[in-house]
Amino acid sequence: MREPAADTSQRLLDAAEGLFADRGYDGVSIRDIAAAAGVNVAAINYHFGGKERLYQVILERVMTAKRDRYLAALRAPRKASDEGLEDLLRAFFRTHFDDTLKSERGASFIKLLVRELHEGSRERRQIIQEQLAPLWTEFGQALREVVPGLDEAAAAWVAGSLHGQLVHFTMRWHRAPAPLAGGDQPHLVQALFPPLAEDVDRYIEQAVAHIVRFAAAGIRAVAGGRPAKEPS
Amino acid sequence: MREPAADTSQRLLDAAEGLFADRGYDGVSIRDIAAAAGVNVAAINYHFGGKERLYQVILERVMTAKRDRYLAALRAPRKASDEGLEDLLRAFFRTHFDDTLKSERGASFIKLLVRELHEGSRERRQIIQEQLAPLWTEFGQALREVVPGLDEAAAAWVAGSLHGQLVHFTMRWHRAPAPLAGGDQPHLVQALFPPLAEDVDRYIEQAVAHIVRFAAAGIRAVAGGRPAKEPS
DNA sequence: TGTACATCAGTGAACGCGCGTTCACTGATGTAC
DNA sequence: TGTACATCAGTGAACGCGCGTTCACTGATGTAC
């Protein structure tokens, strides 16, 4: 009955990634992981030196993969048009929403990611930001190519504005179809700012359409417009 | 040596609020709380029926206070001007940043709030949203008064865009001046999209200026502009 | 080619700790008659 | 006005559980001579 089976550490990584994505670091015990991987609890310490270390290895593995997907989308040639900005935004946003809403694994992982970004230890945030930084840097450059008046500082603020919106609209969808426990009153459960939903694809369409129009105008204003007046 | 002392449950609430704000729900044990309040551990169960219940009472208490502060700012008369939208945005954003960046307690609590919003139990999110909903509803109305072409659905999407940006720029400041542990390499610690900082007040000025300009243009585009073209 | 030993992946059981909760109790303050 | 009892705020110690980690061990696979 001895399986050939991928080696233990690989099985641990795969099993743990799914569990961590679904339930978060604290929501998963090493006994859960060991059981899911079909190995002994002690194997986690043997191969990775502890739960935290295993988690960080997974975090890094997932982040580099994510970064590569996004960079590929950024670098894909876009047809030249007089709406270069809109096209760039659309390509980027669509990649993000597809990645975080349509893929099962990606959907689970984005929640974990947002949490780590907001309140993870410095070590964990470091891992995430090392992957995110080049991604947003490259996006900022693409942005500046396509809207000439945008200086570097402004591009950084714009990146912040975009990131904030992406996170919000992603999490808004994830919050919406919460599994109804028995005896619940679904009409009481009101997600934040109900941009309505129907199915994922329509939601993504709406979100992308809104955010492209909103952000394109915002970016052009930040790039070219006169500074907003301060109150007297 | 018997103090007159506020009654136990009040002391528990006050002590627990600070601890929860600083370290989160899981980061605080009921022994910590009892010690900080100077009472017996069993008092938490006696007065509140458990740790979770105590937490929810605090969450509700803080949220209603927050909602009231924001509503007051929204309702404060703004001088009539041809920049009604900008004025409205500025008043709202400034209130938010003052509340979450300048006040010690508010600064701690916003982290906890963001976490609960993203991954709290349904019960906890319910508490938060019951306070946030009227706030954003009223903001949406004010918005629509000041920019006539904006329909209700668009206003909801705009609210999402604004909320996302507020959260991002708030958390970005909180992440920045992370306490340096001994032996750390500060230059490695790079916060997300470094809109630079200096002191809180300057950061707030910059953030408000950016987001007002960016959002005002975005809102006007969403309200009046032609729909963005879909890719062929 | 054979033997002795070292290394390595992996195991099963136990350890120790911190946690939220519970239990039996105390002393002070109502309340009924 | 006095007495018996009930209620209440609050306590100290113990309980039971789940957790991550550690320990002593096994069996298979190199490696040296």
Side-chain angles (χ1 to χ4, degrees):
Chain A
M1 284 301 271
R2 183 144 281 282
E3 303 280 325
D7 58 323
T8 307
S9 70
Q10 198 58 45
R11 300 238 305 285
L12 276 172
L13 283 172
D14 292 336
E17 182 181 316
L19 289 173
F20 281 140
D22 286 340
R23 320 210 301 250
Y25 184 80
D26 289 329
V28 177
S29 77
I30 63 168
R31 266 161 260 262
D32 295 335
I33 298 170
V39 305
N40 188 274
V41 255
I44 289 167
N45 271 276
Y46 179 76
H47 283 285
F48 298 96
K51 188 191 181 189
E52 173 72 24
R53 231 88 70 87
L54 167 61
Y55 182 77
Q56 289 183 12
V57 169
I58 289 172
L59 198 56
E60 182 148 21
R61 193 171 78 146
V62 174
M63 282 308 298
T64 50
K66 188 182 196 70
R67 179 206 58 193
D68 290 343
R69 283 195 302 276
Y70 281 46
L71 279 181
L74 264 185
R75 288 169 183 163
R78 283 174 299 280
K79 61 184 189 306
S81 85
D82 56 340
E83 286 203 324
L85 174 56
E86 275 81 356
D87 290 338
L88 173 63
L89 294 175
R90 192 147 33 218
F92 192 63
F93 297 160
R94 202 177 292 276
T95 300
H96 170 81
F97 285 122
D98 283 352
D99 195 66
T100 55
L101 296 182
K102 296 185 75 171
S103 125
E104 176 75 30
R105 183 55 63 94
S108 295
F109 224 91
I110 188 66
K111 300 180 205 174
L112 191 149
L113 225 62
V114 168
R115 168 170 52 190
E116 291 303 341
L117 210 50
H118 280 150
E119 46 147 346
S121 68
R122 184 191 307 227
E123 218 169 350
R124 293 189 192 171
R125 276 191 279 130
Q126 182 75 20
I127 292 171
I128 295 175
Q129 289 176 6
E130 256 162 24
Q131 308 308 322
L132 285 189
L135 173 59
W136 283 95
T137 301
E138 188 154 334
F139 178 77
Q141 286 165 354
L143 206 55
R144 294 184 61 200
E145 277 170 27
V146 102
V147 359
L150 197 69
D151 65 52
E152 202 171 329
W157 282 96
V158 164
S161 286
L162 298 182
H163 185 269
Q165 292 179 76
L166 286 182
V167 169
H168 179 86
F169 288 125
T170 304
M171 296 310 289
R172 189 252 170 274
W173 174 263
H174 280 306
R175 273 194 295 266
L180 297 181
D184 252 304
Q185 296 152 289
H187 68 277
L188 274 183
V189 181
Q190 212 189 7
L192 209 53
F193 327 128
L196 28 106
E198 200 166 297
D199 61 280
V200 205
D201 291 298
R202 254 195 79 65
Y203 180 74
I204 294 181
E205 282 310 309
Q206 293 177 359
V208 169
H210 162 75
I211 201 175
V212 164
R213 212 186 313 168
F214 183 89
I219 292 169
R220 292 209 174 90
V222 169
R226 73 219 177 296
K229 278 185 226 149
E230 278 302 293
S232 55
Chain B
M1 283 303 272
R2 181 145 285 283
E3 303 280 324
D7 57 323
T8 307
S9 70
Q10 198 59 45
R11 301 238 303 286
L12 276 172
L13 282 172
D14 292 337
E17 181 181 317
L19 289 173
F20 282 140
D22 286 339
R23 318 211 301 253
Y25 184 80
D26 289 329
V28 177
S29 76
I30 63 170
R31 267 162 257 262
D32 295 335
I33 298 170
V39 305
N40 189 274
V41 253
I44 289 168
N45 271 275
Y46 178 77
H47 282 286
F48 297 96
K51 188 191 182 189
E52 173 72 24
R53 231 89 69 87
L54 166 61
Y55 183 77
Q56 289 184 11
V57 169
I58 289 173
L59 199 55
E60 181 147 21
R61 192 171 79 147
V62 174
M63 282 308 298
T64 50
K66 188 182 197 71
R67 180 205 58 193
D68 289 344
R69 284 195 302 277
Y70 281 46
L71 279 181
L74 263 186
R75 287 169 183 164
R78 283 173 300 278
K79 60 185 188 306
S81 84
D82 57 341
E83 287 204 324
L85 173 56
E86 276 81 356
D87 290 339
L88 172 63
L89 293 175
R90 192 147 34 219
F92 192 61
F93 297 160
R94 202 178 292 278
T95 300
H96 170 80
F97 286 122
D98 283 353
D99 195 65
T100 54
L101 295 181
K102 297 185 73 171
S103 125
E104 177 74 32
R105 184 54 62 95
S108 296
F109 224 91
I110 189 66
K111 301 180 205 173
L112 190 149
L113 224 63
V114 168
R115 168 169 51 191
E116 291 302 342
L117 209 50
H118 280 151
E119 45 148 345
S121 67
R122 185 191 303 227
E123 217 170 350
R124 293 189 191 171
R125 277 192 277 129
Q126 182 74 21
I127 292 172
I128 295 174
Q129 290 176 6
E130 255 162 25
Q131 308 307 321
L132 286 189
L135 173 59
W136 282 95
T137 300
E138 188 154 333
F139 177 77
Q141 287 164 353
L143 207 55
R144 295 183 60 199
E145 277 170 28
V146 101
V147 358
L150 196 69
D151 65 51
E152 204 171 329
W157 282 96
V158 165
S161 287
L162 298 181
H163 186 269
Q165 292 179 76
L166 287 181
V167 169
H168 179 86
F169 289 125
T170 304
M171 296 310 288
R172 189 254 171 273
W173 175 262
H174 280 306
R175 273 194 295 266
L180 298 181
D184 251 305
Q185 294 153 291
H187 68 277
L188 275 184
V189 182
Q190 213 188 7
L192 208 52
F193 327 129
L196 28 107
E198 200 167 296
D199 61 278
V200 206
D201 291 299
R202 254 194 79 65
Y203 179 75
I204 293 181
E205 284 310 309
Q206 292 177 358
V208 170
H210 162 75
I211 200 175
V212 164
R213 212 187 314 168
F214 183 89
I219 292 168
R220 292 209 174 91
V222 168
R226 73 217 176 298
K229 277 184 231 151
E230 279 301 292
S232 54

